Amino acid sequence: MSKRKLLATAGIAVASALAFSACTPATPTAPAGTAGTSAAPTGPTALSVAWNQAFYSRNSDTDYGNATANANILYLTNDSIGYYDQDLEIAQNSSFGKYEKVSDDPLKVKITLADTATWSDGTPVTAADAVLLWGAVSTNFNTVESDAVKTDENTGEVSGVEGDNVYFNAASPGYTLVKDFPEISADGKEITYTWSEPFVDWEILAMSPVGVPAHVVAKRALQTADAEAGEQAIIDAFKNNDRASLAKIAKVWNNDFNFKSTPSDEELLVGSGPYVISELVEEQYLTVEKNPNYKGMRAPKIDKLTVRIIPDAQASVQALQNGEVAVTQPQSTADILQQLQALAPNVETLTQSGGTYEHVDLVFNNGGPFDPKSYGGDAEKARKVRQAFLQTLPRQRIIDNIIKPLNPEATVRNTFNVVPGSPEYDATAEANGMEATYGGGSNVDKAKELLAEAGVTNPTVRMLFAQNNTRRQQEFQLIKETAEQAGFTIVDASSTDWGQLLSTNDVYDASLFGWQSTALGVSQVPPNYLSDGQNNYGGYSNAQVDKLLNELNTTTDTARQGEIVKEVEKILVEDAFGLTIFQFPEITGIDTTKVKGVSSIPLSPTFFWNFWEWETVA
């Protein structure tokens, strides 16, 4: 879900929801505002591709908007200074700007925005846009705590903030350390941040220094007359800590950019990237077209790109076979892989280990079976119930039944934060005790023993997952079968809107989904486990973990970084935070008779990473 999770914190974002449907969505019509309707884009400068979850927010820097489905589209419609190439090296986009570290003590980073950096309405991108992002995601200006507000699960609207109180629905451990108002050059093209402490992944923050346009936010929040006045109003509001103005700015920033169909106000579609959203039909498709004001180096060769929403993996393969889409990246199963390979030679099938891993998280603060409050504050009793449930998770059976048919070498993942195959994986897995404690799972006898020790009988666990995701339905059935043998009652709390429900943890007790890495760096770890971490949907809180993770954000010594991660993982296992299950195998189907230049990387935005190099095949 947000850029602080996706990029600025080295990113972990909720992996795309994969839904099940009996048929593919309707064929796109002509873009809004044009006469008549037309079939799906055809011809040398139009292309359709498939994705599995619908776009719903233009602001992925909010908690609500932080999802891969949004991030993919924003990658097309917002420019950045840096991005990951096919070798997972940071490539520079000098046409949008540059960044440089100008001091180590204190850490100072200067960002220079290029003259060619322009919003799609013709307004230059300036330091005001960067100030808005910093001020919002740092939460340094918030006067209301997150537990005092409520976010509507369907619209993302934040409520519970009254008067001149300020609440930006976001958080970045990196920008939080920038306490002082940044230095801005006279021409508004340079902005320099000074950190109160070192921040290990400052470069990931600098790669994407702006989010939504400041002049649009100012117009809607402060009724400014023109773009230049709006930009100055944003700067003044943060510089002077003007709570009356900031309260209005936060309300617009949190709420106004959330939409599931084409908004009536075109200003909400303003972006800085090569494409602009031209039409959005809820749960069906989204079309982007070339931005006429784009002056950067990533100008696309394809004029119009339609992303069709096809949640069901088999339906997306069928759409590829029928020529309705040219690229799809369905959730992989053995059957789906075989179906794609059977479409050769017209379809090329790419396979790789993805950047997403499957896991189960538990909820600690909702009055449910894993919350100490349910047992009069008895933390040890709640921990034993959590441990009992985790003992039942049939991790090896899930691997054997669902993943091995696709990847015979697949194994259980036994770390929260270290990717299997990386140099630190084995040492971290040994240190955290996950495998020694839980093994392959399905340990019904151990679960019964723990429940007996806790003196708890027949606890009910509501499990949230993607309702229309066939693979997760299969996983849930395996979990339900084993857990109920141990004495749990497992309730299906699945939803098609599971991603938007994660922050509403009073409707579930355990969640089953995937985290997708979108950047490389250790600052991806803290948001999941800090007491106030943006990705900590279950309300987990441990003072020692907070201390270690705050140290991690400021530690440049790689050896110490590894030590901290090991210490944190050991505590997470002891606290029965949750369990990891497997690393996703990833497959991409490409119709080479329609498009060339498509490839994929194991980080978000996967196959969209080089969209400007795509070419249609005549």
Side-chain angles (χ1 to χ4, degrees):
M1 311 168 64
S2 105
K3 206 168 262 193
R4 289 141 356 267
K5 288 187 242 185
L6 293 177
L7 294 177
T9 65
I12 329 179
V14 175
S16 306
L18 303 173
F20 178 84
S21 68
C23 58
T24 57
T27 299
T29 62
T34 62
T37 60
S38 65
T42 58
T45 60
L47 195 74
S48 289
V49 301
W51 195 252
N52 46 51
Q53 183 184 11
F55 176 91
Y56 61 88
S57 180
R58 187 75 180 77
N59 188 357
S60 69
D61 290 303
T62 66
D63 280 344
Y64 175 80
N66 180 32
T68 304
N70 298 326
N72 288 343
I73 304 304
L74 296 182
Y75 188 76
L76 303 172
T77 58
N78 274 357
D79 222 352
S80 62
I81 296 175
Y83 62 95
Y84 284 97
D85 64 18
Q86 194 161 22
D87 297 321
L88 300 186
E89 299 289 341
I90 296 176
Q92 301 296 320
N93 173 15
S94 59
S95 65
F96 194 73
K98 63 180 180 179
Y99 53 78
E100 58 181 317
K101 182 168 65 172
V102 296
S103 171
D104 280 310
D105 187 17
L107 174 62
K108 279 191 174 187
V109 176
K110 181 172 75 172
I111 293 168
T112 304
L113 296 163
D115 292 336
T116 44
T118 308
W119 294 105
S120 56
D121 62 1
T123 302
V125 178
T126 70
D129 301 300
V131 166
L132 175 60
L133 178 63
W134 159 72
V137 304
S138 73
T139 67
N140 289 336
F141 297 87
N142 283 7
T143 62
V144 177
E145 297 296 327
S146 59
D147 57 5
V149 305
K150 183 175 179 61
T151 302
D152 187 279
E153 62 194 47
N154 295 314
T155 66
E157 184 170 356
V158 174
S159 59
V161 186
E162 305 296 335
D164 289 348
N165 279 312
V166 180
Y167 181 75
F168 288 98
N169 187 27
S172 164
Y175 274 134
T176 300
L177 296 172
V178 180
K179 304 292 186 182
D180 297 330
F181 190 82
E183 303 169 34
I184 299 175
S185 64
D187 64 359
K189 283 295 188 179
E190 293 181 359
I191 183 167
T192 302
Y193 298 108
T194 301
W195 273 258
S196 59
E197 299 178 57
F199 179 64
V200 63
D201 287 330
W202 64 266
E203 185 174 11
I204 296 171
L205 291 179
M207 286 167 63
S208 296
V210 304
V212 295
H215 67 285
V216 171
V217 172
K219 178 184 176 183
R220 300 178 72 84
L222 307 175
Q223 290 74 55
T224 49
D226 57 33
E228 188 173 346
E231 291 167 349
Q232 189 60 51
I234 293 291
I235 291 173
D236 291 344
F238 285 102
K239 187 173 184 178
N240 300 324
N241 197 9
D242 177 354
R243 286 180 52 179
S245 295
L246 290 176
K248 297 173 183 177
I249 291 168
K251 185 175 180 180
V252 169
W253 192 86
N254 291 334
N255 301 331
D256 286 21
F257 294 90
N258 302 325
F259 48 84
K260 299 178 181 179
S261 58
T262 311
S264 57
D265 293 339
E266 291 187 359
E267 64 189 13
L268 294 174
L269 301 175
V270 170
S272 60
Y275 282 117
V276 178
I277 296 172
S278 59
E279 186 177 22
L280 172 60
V281 178
E282 184 172 353
E283 298 295 338
Q284 293 189 44
Y285 65 89
L286 178 146
T287 297
V288 295
E289 299 188 40
K290 277 187 176 180
N291 172 6
N293 285 315
Y294 184 69
K295 303 171 185 177
M297 59 188 285
R298 298 199 291 183
K301 298 178 174 66
I302 298 172
D303 294 324
K304 182 187 294 186
L305 182 64
T306 293
V307 181
R308 299 189 61 202
I309 308 308
I310 311 179
D312 177 55
Q314 190 161 345
S316 74
V317 175
Q318 187 67 49
L320 186 71
Q321 182 176 10
N322 293 345
E324 298 165 8
V325 299
V327 184
T328 185
Q329 194 172 80
Q331 190 157 33
S332 52
T333 67
D335 289 343
I336 293 299
L337 177 60
Q338 291 171 5
Q339 290 175 35
L340 284 173
Q341 291 173 334
L343 300 181
N346 291 343
V347 170
E348 179 185 8
T349 302
L350 307 179
T351 61
Q352 64 181 13
S353 292
T356 303
Y357 66 91
E358 196 83 331
H359 71 289
V360 170
D361 287 352
L362 306 184
V363 180
F364 287 67
N365 65 346
N366 68 347
F370 307 130
D371 184 349
K373 291 197 300 287
S374 298
Y375 311 107
D378 190 333
E380 182 60 19
K381 179 176 286 194
R383 187 173 78 101
K384 286 184 181 293
V385 177
R386 293 195 301 271
Q387 290 173 328
F389 179 72
L390 295 180
Q391 285 288 350
T392 71
L393 294 185
R395 299 200 296 165
Q396 190 61 53
R397 285 185 65 199
I398 289 172
I399 300 291
D400 292 341
N401 292 6
I402 301 174
I403 306 303
K404 277 195 172 181
L406 180 65
N407 176 14
E409 306 302 317
T411 59
V412 172
R413 171 168 165 155
N414 283 305
T415 58
F416 290 105
N417 303 295
V418 181
V419 178
S422 64
E424 289 294 312
Y425 176 77
D426 289 341
T428 304
E430 182 178 356
N432 68 23
M434 185 184 295
E435 183 175 16
T437 303
Y438 296 107
S442 302
N443 195 335
V444 172
D445 291 339
K446 182 63 175 177
K448 288 180 177 179
E449 178 184 326
L450 287 163
L451 286 178
E453 290 176 9
V456 176
T457 58
N458 195 32
T460 297
V461 178
R462 300 164 297 169
M463 196 153 197
L464 176 68
F465 60 97
Q467 185 179 72
N468 36 16
N469 179 333
T470 303
R471 186 164 78 186
R472 293 211 174 102
Q473 289 173 347
Q474 295 170 346
E475 291 178 59
F476 171 75
Q477 289 303 321
L478 291 173
I479 292 169
K480 178 180 174 68
E481 175 186 328
T482 309
E484 292 194 337
Q485 290 175 18
F488 287 91
T489 295
I490 307 299
V491 176
D492 182 339
S494 62
S495 170
T496 55
D497 295 324
W498 66 273
Q500 295 152 57
L501 288 172
L502 280 170
S503 58
T504 313
N505 67 22
D506 57 349
V507 302
Y508 69 95
D509 307 302
S511 57
L512 170 68
F513 65 100
W515 283 121
Q516 181 170 23
S517 298
T518 64
L520 305 177
V522 297
S523 61
Q524 67 179 313
V525 177
N528 279 16
Y529 316 110
L530 281 169
S531 295
D532 60 353
Q534 184 188 8
N535 303 350
N536 182 2
Y537 297 115
Y540 173 72
S541 182
N542 182 296
Q544 180 62 15
V545 168
D546 288 348
K547 179 180 178 181
L548 288 166
L549 292 179
N550 286 323
E551 180 186 352
L552 182 63
N553 273 329
T554 63
T555 298
T556 57
D557 183 330
T558 55
R560 178 56 185 154
Q561 289 172 3
E563 292 172 0
I564 293 172
V565 170
K566 291 182 181 71
E567 290 179 59
V568 167
E569 294 222 356
K570 186 174 186 295
I571 297 172
L572 292 174
V573 172
E574 291 171 349
D575 285 348
F577 171 87
L579 274 182
T580 52
I581 306 176
F582 60 84
Q583 198 75 18
F584 277 37
E586 186 175 271
I587 54 177
T588 309
I590 305 164
D591 186 341
T592 54
T593 70
K594 291 182 177 297
V595 65
K596 60 182 179 180
V598 177
S599 60
S600 187
I601 60 174
L603 298 173
S604 176
T606 63
F607 71 80
F608 290 100
W609 79 270
N610 68 333
F611 65 87
W612 61 93
E613 296 179 340
W614 297 359
E615 295 183 64
T616 54
V617 177

